Coordinates of all heavy atoms in Angstrom, one line a residue:
H197 N 104.8 96.4 105.0 CA 103.8 96.9 105.9 C 102.6 96.0 105.9 O 101.9 95.9 106.9 CB 103.4 98.4 105.4 CG 104.4 99.4 105.9 ND1 105.4 99.9 105.1 CD2 104.5 100.0 107.1 CE1 106.1 100.8 105.8 NE2 105.6 100.9 107.0
L198 N 102.3 95.4 104.7 CA 101.1 94.5 104.7 C 101.4 93.2 105.6 O 100.5 92.7 106.2 CB 100.8 94.1 103.3 CG 99.6 93.2 103.0 CD1 98.3 94.0 103.5 CD2 99.4 92.9 101.5
V199 N 102.7 92.8 105.6 CA 103.1 91.7 106.5 C 102.9 92.1 107.9 O 102.4 91.3 108.8 CB 104.5 91.3 106.2 CG1 105.0 90.3 107.3 CG2 104.7 90.7 104.8
L200 N 103.3 93.3 108.3 CA 103.0 93.8 109.6 C 101.6 93.9 110.0 O 101.2 93.5 111.1 CB 103.7 95.2 109.8 CG 103.5 95.9 111.1 CD1 104.1 95.1 112.2 CD2 104.1 97.4 111.1
A201 N 100.7 94.3 109.0 CA 99.3 94.3 109.2 C 98.7 92.9 109.5 O 97.9 92.7 110.4 CB 98.6 95.0 108.0
F202 N 99.2 92.0 108.7 CA 98.8 90.6 109.0 C 99.2 90.1 110.3 O 98.4 89.4 111.0 CB 99.4 89.7 107.9 CG 98.7 89.8 106.5 CD1 99.4 89.5 105.4 CD2 97.4 90.2 106.4 CE1 98.8 89.6 104.1 CE2 96.8 90.4 105.2 CZ 97.5 90.1 104.1
F203 N 100.4 90.4 110.8 CA 100.8 89.9 112.1 C 100.0 90.5 113.2 O 99.6 89.9 114.2 CB 102.3 90.2 112.3 CG 103.2 89.1 111.8 CD1 104.0 89.3 110.7 CD2 103.3 87.9 112.5 CE1 104.9 88.3 110.3 CE2 104.1 86.9 112.1 CZ 104.9 87.1 111.0
T204 N 99.7 91.8 113.1 CA 99.0 92.5 114.2 C 97.5 92.0 114.1 O 96.9 91.9 115.2 CB 99.0 94.0 114.0 OG1 98.7 94.4 112.6 CG2 100.4 94.5 114.3
C205 N 97.0 91.8 113.0 CA 95.6 91.2 112.9 C 95.6 89.8 113.5 O 94.6 89.5 114.2 CB 95.2 91.2 111.4 SG 93.4 90.7 111.2
A206 N 96.6 89.0 113.3 CA 96.7 87.7 113.9 C 96.7 87.8 115.5 O 96.1 87.0 116.2 CB 97.9 86.9 113.4
A207 N 97.5 88.8 115.9 CA 97.5 89.1 117.4 C 96.2 89.4 118.0 O 95.8 89.0 119.0 CB 98.6 90.1 117.7
I208 N 95.4 90.3 117.2 CA 94.1 90.6 117.7 C 93.2 89.4 117.7 O 92.3 89.2 118.6 CB 93.5 91.7 116.8 CG1 94.3 93.0 117.0 CG2 92.0 92.0 117.1 CD1 93.9 94.2 116.1
W209 N 93.3 88.5 116.7 CA 92.5 87.3 116.7 C 92.9 86.4 117.9 O 92.0 85.6 118.4 CB 92.7 86.6 115.4 CG 91.8 87.1 114.3 CD1 90.8 88.0 114.5 CD2 91.9 86.9 112.9 NE1 90.2 88.3 113.3 CE2 90.9 87.7 112.3 CE3 92.7 86.1 112.1 CZ2 90.6 87.7 110.9 CZ3 92.5 86.1 110.7 CH2 91.5 86.9 110.2
M210 N 94.2 86.4 118.3 CA 94.6 85.6 119.4 C 93.9 86.2 120.7 O 93.5 85.4 121.6 CB 96.1 85.7 119.6 CG 96.8 84.9 118.5 SD 96.7 83.1 118.7 CE 97.7 82.8 120.1
L211 N 93.7 87.5 120.8 CA 93.0 88.0 121.9 C 91.5 87.6 121.9 O 90.9 87.5 123.0 CB 93.1 89.6 121.9 CG 94.4 90.2 122.2 CD1 94.4 91.7 122.0 CD2 94.8 89.9 123.6
L212 N 91.0 87.4 120.7 CA 89.6 86.9 120.6 C 89.4 85.4 120.7 O 88.3 84.9 120.5 CB 89.0 87.4 119.3 CG 88.9 88.9 119.1 CD1 88.4 89.3 117.7 CD2 87.9 89.5 120.2
E213 N 90.5 84.7 121.1 CA 90.5 83.3 121.2 C 90.2 82.5 119.9 O 89.6 81.5 119.9 CB 89.6 82.8 122.3 CG 89.9 83.3 123.7 CD 88.9 82.8 124.8 OE1 88.0 82.1 124.4 OE2 89.2 83.1 125.9
A214 N 90.7 83.1 118.8 CA 90.5 82.5 117.5 C 91.9 82.1 117.0 O 92.5 82.7 116.1 CB 89.9 83.5 116.5
E215 N 92.5 81.1 117.7 CA 93.9 80.7 117.4 C 94.0 80.1 116.0 O 95.0 80.4 115.4 CB 94.4 79.7 118.5 CG 94.4 80.2 119.9 CD 93.1 79.9 120.6 OE1 92.2 79.3 119.9 OE2 92.9 80.3 121.8
F216 N 93.0 79.4 115.6 CA 93.1 78.8 114.3 C 93.2 79.8 113.2 O 94.0 79.7 112.2 CB 91.9 77.8 114.0 CG 92.0 77.1 112.7 CD1 92.8 76.1 112.5 CD2 91.1 77.6 111.7 CE1 92.8 75.4 111.3 CE2 91.2 76.9 110.5 CZ 92.0 75.8 110.3
L217 N 92.4 80.8 113.2 CA 92.4 81.9 112.2 C 93.7 82.7 112.3 O 94.3 83.0 111.2 CB 91.2 82.9 112.4 CG 89.8 82.3 112.2 CD1 88.8 83.4 112.5 CD2 89.7 81.8 110.7
A218 N 94.2 82.9 113.5 CA 95.5 83.6 113.6 C 96.7 82.8 113.0 O 97.5 83.4 112.2 CB 95.8 83.9 115.1
I219 N 96.7 81.5 113.3 CA 97.8 80.7 112.7 C 97.7 80.5 111.2 O 98.6 80.6 110.5 CB 97.8 79.3 113.4 CG1 98.1 79.5 114.9 CG2 98.8 78.4 112.8 CD1 99.5 80.2 115.2
T220 N 96.4 80.4 110.8 CA 96.2 80.3 109.3 C 96.6 81.6 108.6 O 97.2 81.5 107.5 CB 94.7 80.0 109.1 OG1 94.3 78.8 109.8 CG2 94.5 79.8 107.6
L221 N 96.3 82.7 109.2 CA 96.7 84.0 108.6 C 98.2 84.1 108.5 O 98.7 84.5 107.4 CB 96.1 85.1 109.4 CG 96.4 86.6 108.9 CD1 95.8 86.8 107.5 CD2 95.9 87.6 109.9
V222 N 98.9 83.7 109.5 CA 100.4 83.8 109.5 C 101.0 82.8 108.5 O 101.9 83.2 107.7 CB 100.9 83.6 110.9 CG1 102.4 83.5 110.9 CG2 100.5 84.8 111.8
L223 N 100.5 81.6 108.6 CA 101.1 80.5 107.7 C 100.8 80.7 106.2 O 101.6 80.6 105.4 CB 100.6 79.2 108.2 CG 101.1 78.7 109.6 CD1 100.6 77.3 109.9 CD2 102.7 78.7 109.6
V224 N 99.5 81.0 105.9 CA 99.1 81.1 104.5 C 99.4 82.4 103.9 O 100.1 82.4 102.9 CB 97.6 80.8 104.4 CG1 97.1 81.0 103.0 CG2 97.2 79.4 104.9
Y225 N 99.0 83.5 104.5 CA 99.2 84.8 103.9 C 100.6 85.3 104.1 O 101.3 85.7 103.1 CB 98.2 85.8 104.4 CG 96.8 85.6 103.9 CD1 95.9 84.8 104.6 CD2 96.5 86.2 102.7 CE1 94.6 84.6 104.0 CE2 95.2 86.0 102.2 CZ 94.3 85.2 102.9 OH 93.0 85.0 102.3
V226 N 101.2 85.3 105.3 CA 102.5 85.8 105.5 C 103.5 84.8 105.0 O 104.5 85.2 104.3 CB 102.8 86.1 107.0 CG1 104.2 86.6 107.2 CG2 101.8 87.1 107.5
G227 N 103.3 83.5 105.2 CA 104.3 82.5 104.8 C 104.3 82.1 103.4 O 105.4 81.7 102.9
A228 N 103.2 82.3 102.7 CA 103.2 81.9 101.3 C 102.8 83.0 100.3 O 103.6 83.3 99.4 CB 102.1 80.7 101.1
V229 N 101.7 83.7 100.6 CA 101.3 84.7 99.6 C 102.2 85.9 99.6 O 102.6 86.4 98.5 CB 99.8 85.1 99.9 CG1 99.3 86.2 99.0 CG2 98.9 83.9 99.8
M230 N 102.5 86.4 100.8 CA 103.4 87.6 100.8 C 104.8 87.3 100.4 O 105.4 88.2 99.8 CB 103.4 88.2 102.2 CG 102.1 88.8 102.6 SD 101.4 90.0 101.4 CE 102.8 91.1 101.2
V231 N 105.3 86.1 100.6 CA 106.6 85.8 100.1 C 106.6 85.8 98.5 O 107.5 86.3 97.9 CB 107.1 84.4 100.6 CG1 108.3 83.9 99.9 CG2 107.3 84.5 102.1
L232 N 105.5 85.3 98.0 CA 105.3 85.3 96.5 C 105.2 86.7 96.0 O 105.8 87.1 95.0 CB 104.1 84.5 96.1 CG 103.8 84.5 94.6 CD1 104.9 83.8 93.8 CD2 102.4 83.8 94.4
F233 N 104.5 87.6 96.7 CA 104.4 89.0 96.3 C 105.7 89.7 96.4 O 106.1 90.4 95.4 CB 103.4 89.7 97.3 CG 101.9 89.5 97.0 CD1 100.9 90.0 97.8 CD2 101.6 88.7 95.9 CE1 99.6 89.8 97.5 CE2 100.2 88.4 95.6 CZ 99.3 89.0 96.4
L234 N 106.5 89.5 97.5 CA 107.8 90.1 97.6 C 108.7 89.6 96.5 O 109.5 90.4 95.9 CB 108.4 89.8 98.9 CG 107.8 90.6 100.1 CD1 108.4 90.1 101.4 CD2 108.1 92.1 99.9
F235 N 108.7 88.3 96.2 CA 109.5 87.8 95.1 C 109.2 88.4 93.8 O 110.1 88.8 93.0 CB 109.3 86.2 95.1 CG 110.1 85.6 94.0 CD1 111.5 85.4 94.2 CD2 109.6 85.1 92.8 CE1 112.3 84.7 93.2 CE2 110.3 84.5 91.8 CZ 111.7 84.3 92.0
V236 N 107.9 88.5 93.5 CA 107.5 89.1 92.2 C 107.8 90.6 92.1 O 108.3 91.1 91.1 CB 106.0 88.9 92.0 CG1 105.5 89.7 90.7 CG2 105.7 87.4 91.8
V237 N 107.6 91.3 93.2 CA 107.9 92.7 93.2 C 109.3 93.0 93.1 O 109.8 93.9 92.3 CB 107.3 93.4 94.5 CG1 107.8 94.8 94.7 CG2 105.8 93.4 94.4
M238 N 110.2 92.2 93.8 CA 111.6 92.5 93.7 C 112.2 92.0 92.4 O 113.3 92.5 92.0 CB 112.3 91.8 94.9 CG 112.0 92.6 96.2 SD 113.1 92.1 97.6 CE 112.4 90.4 97.9
M239 N 111.6 91.0 91.8 CA 112.2 90.5 90.5 C 111.8 91.3 89.3 O 112.5 91.4 88.3 CB 111.7 89.0 90.3 CG 112.4 88.0 91.2 SD 114.1 87.9 91.0 CE 114.2 87.2 89.4
L240 N 110.6 92.0 89.4 CA 110.1 92.8 88.3 C 110.7 94.2 88.4 O 110.8 94.7 89.5 CB 108.6 92.8 88.2 CG 107.9 91.5 87.9 CD1 106.4 91.7 88.0 CD2 108.3 90.9 86.6
D241 N 111.0 94.8 87.3 CA 111.4 96.2 87.3 C 110.2 97.1 87.1 O 109.7 97.3 86.0 CB 112.4 96.4 86.1 CG 113.0 97.8 86.2 OD1 112.9 98.5 87.2 OD2 113.6 98.2 85.2
I242 N 109.6 97.5 88.2 CA 108.4 98.3 88.2 C 108.7 99.8 88.0 O 109.4 100.3 88.7 CB 107.5 98.0 89.5 CG1 107.2 96.6 89.6 CG2 106.3 98.9 89.5 CD1 106.5 96.2 90.9
N243 N 108.0 100.3 87.0 CA 108.2 101.8 86.7 C 107.1 102.5 87.6 O 105.9 102.3 87.4 CB 108.0 102.1 85.3 CG 108.3 103.5 84.9 OD1 108.8 104.2 85.8 ND2 108.0 103.9 83.7
L244 N 107.6 103.3 88.5 CA 106.7 104.0 89.5 C 106.0 105.2 88.9 O 105.0 105.7 89.5 CB 107.4 104.3 90.7 CG 108.0 103.2 91.5 CD1 108.8 103.7 92.7 CD2 106.9 102.2 92.0

């Protein structure tokens, strides 16, 4: 859901003609940070 929030926020930035911020958000946060988060969350046995 955080990945979905990043994508929709990037779409709103595209509407504001801030293409650089939108592409940076997708590439850095979705492409790198969130992949790392998902990898750590799925590899660890988290007790809820």
Side-chain angles (χ1 to χ4, degrees):
H197 280 97
L198 189 57
V199 170
L200 177 61
F202 285 154
F203 269 112
T204 51
C205 188
I208 292 176
W209 279 348
M210 290 289 288
L211 289 175
L212 297 175
E213 297 181 356
E215 300 91 1
F216 180 77
L217 292 177
I219 297 301
T220 304
L221 180 64
V222 172
L223 292 180
V224 175
Y225 285 92
V226 178
V229 177
M230 288 311 303
V231 171
L232 178 64
F233 282 178
L234 284 173
F235 181 76
V236 171
V237 165
M238 288 192 289
M239 289 297 292
L240 296 178
D241 187 13
I242 299 176
N243 189 9
L244 298 178

